Coordinates of all heavy atoms in Angstrom, one line a residue:
S1 N 9.9 -27.9 1.7 CA 8.6 -28.4 1.6 C 8.3 -28.8 0.1 O 7.9 -28.0 -0.7 CB 7.5 -27.4 2.0 OG 7.7 -26.9 3.3
P2 N 8.5 -30.1 -0.2 CA 8.3 -30.6 -1.6 C 6.8 -30.5 -2.0 O 5.9 -30.6 -1.2 CB 8.7 -32.1 -1.5 CG 9.6 -32.2 -0.3 CD 9.1 -31.2 0.6
V3 N 6.6 -30.2 -3.3 CA 5.3 -30.1 -3.9 C 5.0 -31.3 -4.7 O 5.8 -31.7 -5.6 CB 5.2 -28.8 -4.7 CG1 3.9 -28.7 -5.4 CG2 5.5 -27.6 -3.9
P4 N 3.8 -31.9 -4.5 CA 3.5 -33.1 -5.3 C 3.3 -32.8 -6.8 O 2.6 -31.8 -7.1 CB 2.3 -33.7 -4.7 CG 1.6 -32.5 -4.0 CD 2.8 -31.7 -3.5
L5 N 3.8 -33.6 -7.7 CA 3.6 -33.4 -9.1 C 2.7 -34.5 -9.7 O 2.1 -34.2 -10.8 CB 5.0 -33.5 -9.8 CG 6.1 -32.5 -9.5 CD1 7.3 -32.8 -10.3 CD2 5.6 -31.1 -9.6
T6 N 2.5 -35.6 -9.0 CA 1.6 -36.6 -9.5 C 0.6 -37.0 -8.5 O 0.8 -36.7 -7.3 CB 2.4 -37.9 -10.0 OG1 3.2 -38.3 -8.9 CG2 3.4 -37.5 -11.1
S7 N -0.4 -37.7 -8.9 CA -1.6 -38.0 -8.0 C -1.2 -39.1 -7.0 O -0.4 -40.0 -7.3 CB -2.7 -38.5 -8.9 OG -3.1 -37.5 -9.8
A8 N -1.9 -39.1 -5.9 CA -1.9 -40.2 -4.9 C -2.8 -41.3 -5.4 O -3.7 -41.1 -6.2 CB -2.4 -39.6 -3.6
D9 N -2.4 -42.5 -5.0 CA -3.2 -43.7 -5.3 C -3.5 -43.9 -6.8 O -4.5 -44.4 -7.2 CB -4.6 -43.6 -4.6 CG -4.4 -43.4 -3.1 OD1 -3.5 -44.1 -2.5 OD2 -5.2 -42.6 -2.5
S10 N -2.5 -43.6 -7.6 CA -2.6 -43.8 -9.0 C -2.1 -45.1 -9.5 O -2.4 -45.5 -10.6 CB -1.9 -42.6 -9.8 OG -0.5 -42.7 -9.5
G11 N -1.3 -45.8 -8.6 CA -0.7 -47.0 -9.1 C 0.6 -46.8 -9.9 O 1.1 -47.7 -10.4
F12 N 1.0 -45.5 -10.0 CA 2.2 -45.2 -10.8 C 3.5 -45.2 -10.0 O 3.5 -44.9 -8.8 CB 2.1 -43.8 -11.4 CG 1.0 -43.5 -12.3 CD1 0.5 -42.3 -12.5 CD2 0.4 -44.6 -13.0 CE1 -0.5 -42.0 -13.4 CE2 -0.7 -44.4 -13.9 CZ -1.1 -43.1 -14.1
R13 N 4.6 -45.7 -10.6 CA 5.9 -45.6 -10.1 C 6.8 -45.0 -11.2 O 6.5 -45.3 -12.4 CB 6.5 -46.9 -9.7 CG 5.6 -47.6 -8.6 CD 6.2 -49.0 -8.3 NE 5.3 -49.8 -7.4 CZ 5.6 -51.0 -6.9 NH1 6.7 -51.6 -7.4 NH2 4.8 -51.6 -6.1
F14 N 7.8 -44.2 -10.9 CA 8.6 -43.6 -11.9 C 10.1 -43.8 -11.6 O 10.5 -43.8 -10.4 CB 8.4 -42.1 -11.9 CG 6.9 -41.7 -12.2 CD1 6.0 -41.6 -11.1 CD2 6.5 -41.5 -13.5 CE1 4.7 -41.2 -11.3 CE2 5.1 -41.2 -13.7 CZ 4.3 -41.0 -12.6
A15 N 10.9 -44.0 -12.7 CA 12.4 -44.2 -12.5 C 13.1 -43.6 -13.7 O 12.5 -43.2 -14.7 CB 12.7 -45.7 -12.3
D16 N 14.4 -43.6 -13.6 CA 15.3 -43.1 -14.7 C 14.9 -41.7 -15.1 O 14.7 -41.3 -16.2 CB 15.2 -44.0 -15.9 CG 16.4 -43.9 -16.8 OD1 17.3 -43.1 -16.5 OD2 16.5 -44.6 -17.8
L17 N 14.8 -40.8 -14.0 CA 14.3 -39.4 -14.3 C 15.4 -38.6 -14.9 O 16.5 -38.6 -14.5 CB 13.9 -38.8 -12.9 CG 12.9 -39.5 -12.0 CD1 12.6 -38.7 -10.8 CD2 11.7 -40.0 -12.7
T18 N 14.9 -37.8 -15.9 CA 15.8 -36.8 -16.5 C 14.9 -35.6 -16.9 O 13.8 -35.7 -17.2 CB 16.5 -37.3 -17.8 OG1 15.5 -37.7 -18.8 CG2 17.4 -38.4 -17.6
W19 N 15.6 -34.4 -16.8 CA 14.9 -33.1 -17.2 C 15.0 -32.9 -18.7 O 16.0 -33.2 -19.3 CB 15.6 -32.0 -16.5 CG 15.3 -31.7 -15.1 CD1 15.8 -32.4 -14.0 CD2 14.4 -30.8 -14.6 NE1 15.2 -31.9 -12.8 CE2 14.4 -30.9 -13.1 CE3 13.6 -29.8 -15.1 CZ2 13.6 -30.1 -12.3 CZ3 12.8 -29.0 -14.3 CH2 12.8 -29.1 -12.9
R20 N 13.9 -32.4 -19.2 CA 13.9 -32.0 -20.6 C 12.7 -31.0 -20.9 O 11.6 -31.3 -20.8 CB 13.7 -33.2 -21.6 CG 13.8 -32.8 -23.1 CD 13.7 -34.1 -23.9 NE 14.0 -33.8 -25.3 CZ 13.0 -33.5 -26.2 NH1 11.7 -33.4 -25.9 NH2 13.4 -33.2 -27.5
D21 N 13.1 -29.7 -21.2 CA 12.2 -28.7 -21.6 C 11.0 -28.6 -20.6 O 9.8 -28.6 -21.0 CB 11.7 -28.9 -23.0 CG 12.8 -28.9 -24.0 OD1 13.8 -28.3 -23.8 OD2 12.6 -29.6 -25.1
G22 N 11.3 -28.4 -19.3 CA 10.2 -28.2 -18.4 C 9.4 -29.5 -18.0 O 8.3 -29.4 -17.4
E23 N 9.9 -30.6 -18.4 CA 9.2 -31.9 -18.1 C 10.3 -32.9 -17.6 O 11.5 -32.7 -17.8 CB 8.6 -32.5 -19.4 CG 7.5 -31.7 -20.0 CD 7.0 -32.3 -21.3 OE1 7.8 -32.8 -22.1 OE2 5.8 -32.4 -21.5
I24 N 9.8 -33.8 -16.9 CA 10.6 -35.0 -16.5 C 10.3 -36.1 -17.4 O 9.1 -36.6 -17.5 CB 10.3 -35.3 -15.0 CG1 10.8 -34.2 -14.1 CG2 10.9 -36.7 -14.6 CD1 12.4 -34.1 -14.0
I25 N 11.3 -36.6 -18.0 CA 11.2 -37.9 -18.8 C 11.5 -39.0 -17.9 O 12.5 -39.0 -17.2 CB 12.1 -37.8 -20.0 CG1 11.9 -36.6 -20.8 CG2 11.9 -39.1 -20.9 CD1 10.5 -36.3 -21.4
A26 N 10.7 -40.1 -17.9 CA 10.8 -41.2 -17.0 C 10.3 -42.5 -17.6 O 9.4 -42.5 -18.5 CB 10.1 -40.9 -15.7
V27 N 10.7 -43.6 -17.0 CA 10.1 -44.8 -17.2 C 9.0 -44.9 -16.1 O 9.3 -44.8 -14.9 CB 11.1 -46.0 -17.1 CG1 10.3 -47.3 -17.1 CG2 12.1 -45.9 -18.2
R28 N 7.7 -45.2 -16.6 CA 6.6 -45.3 -15.7 C 6.2 -46.7 -15.6 O 6.1 -47.4 -16.6 CB 5.4 -44.4 -16.1 CG 4.2 -44.6 -15.2 CD 3.1 -43.6 -15.6 NE 2.5 -43.9 -17.0 CZ 1.5 -43.2 -17.5 NH1 0.9 -42.3 -16.8 NH2 1.1 -43.5 -18.7
E29 N 5.9 -47.2 -14.3 CA 5.4 -48.5 -14.1 C 4.0 -48.3 -13.5 O 3.9 -47.6 -12.5 CB 6.4 -49.2 -13.1 CG 6.1 -50.7 -12.9 CD 7.2 -51.3 -12.0 OE1 8.2 -51.8 -12.6 OE2 7.0 -51.3 -10.8

C-alpha cells in the first residue's frame, strides 16, 4: 500500500529521482 508523498492536483511531475539524506532529489516539472 503506497503512501502519497506529494499533493494531488498540484500540477507537479517528477523525474530523475535519487535518494539523499532522507529526501528525494528530482527534476520537477
Side-chain angles (χ1 to χ4, degrees):
S1 301
V3 176
L5 299 183
T6 57
S7 301
D9 303 320
S10 62
F12 296 158
R13 303 175 183 180
F14 303 89
D16 202 1
L17 308 186
T18 56
W19 280 79
R20 186 175 186 269
D21 299 334
E23 297 177 316
I24 290 293
I25 307 301
V27 174
R28 176 174 65 177
E29 189 175 272

